[in-house]
Amino acid sequence: MQNYDTILVPIDIYSDYELVVNKAVAIAGDSRKLHLLYVAYPQTNVEPYGLFLERDFSEEVRVQALRLLKDVAAKHDIPHNQVNVEIGSPADEIHHMADKLSADLIILGTHGQSGLRLLLGSTANAVLHGVKTDVLAVKI
C-alpha cells in the first residue's frame, strides 16, 4: 500500500463520523498526518432570499463547528492546527483544501441512498469528479 503523508478527512460533525475518523487513523498510522475538515453550507442555501433572517449567522456556525471539530481532534490526537471549518459547497471546499494541503489521500464517509448515489452518495460522488488524489469512501 502507498505511504500517505497528508490525509484530508472531511467529516460531518453532526452525523456519524467515528467510523471514518477511526479508519483514517488506522490507515495513517500517525494521527499527525490527518487534517480534519467540516464544511457548512452558506446561509443562502438555507434561506436564499434572506427574508426571515435579520443577520448572517455564518461566523457563529463556524465557531461552533470549530469547537466540535477540535473535540474530535483531541480525542484522536490530531493537532488543532490541522482542523479546518469552511463555508461553501462541500465538494468544492474539499477539492480546495486537498489542493492547498497537497493531500495524498481523501478519506470520507458516504451514506449512498439511491440510484447512482447508491454507491457513493452525492458529496462523495461530487468529490470524485475533478479530484487529483486518491479517495477512500467509507460506508457508514
Side-chain angles (χ1 to χ4, degrees):
M1 176 181 269
Q2 178 178 342
N3 186 22
Y4 296 108
D5 295 319
T6 305
I7 302 172
L8 178 60
V9 186
I11 61 171
D12 180 353
I13 55 174
Y14 300 105
S15 186
D16 298 328
Y17 61 80
E18 277 299 322
L19 182 62
V20 177
V21 176
N22 289 336
K23 181 79 70 172
V25 169
I27 289 172
D30 179 353
S31 58
R32 292 174 294 179
K33 294 180 179 183
L34 302 179
H35 294 261
L36 296 178
L37 173 65
Y38 172 73
V39 181
Y41 285 102
Q43 185 171 329
T44 54
N45 284 24
V46 178
E47 180 56 50
Y49 303 108
L51 298 175
F52 303 105
L53 297 176
E54 296 177 12
R55 65 185 181 85
D56 185 356
F57 291 94
S58 297
E59 193 52 35
E60 286 91 340
V61 168
R62 183 186 305 274
V63 168
Q64 178 183 7
L66 187 59
R67 187 179 70 249
L68 294 171
L69 204 55
K70 283 185 176 182
D71 290 345
V72 175
K75 181 179 177 182
H76 295 281
D77 297 322
I78 299 167
H80 282 168
N81 66 337
Q82 294 174 198
V83 172
N84 296 283
V85 174
E86 300 296 336
I87 307 291
S89 160
D92 291 344
E93 295 301 328
I94 292 167
H95 286 155
H96 174 73
M97 188 60 66
D99 288 343
K100 180 178 174 182
L101 297 171
S102 298
D104 304 304
L105 176 65
I106 300 170
I107 299 177
L108 51 82
T110 180
H111 291 281
Q113 315 249 320
S114 63
L116 208 157
R117 295 181 181 144
L118 180 62
L119 294 174
L120 292 175
S122 58
T123 300
N125 191 32
V127 167
L128 282 176
H129 295 286
V131 74
K132 300 173 187 165
T133 187
D134 291 347
V135 176
L136 173 63
V138 178
K139 179 75 172 151
I140 298 176

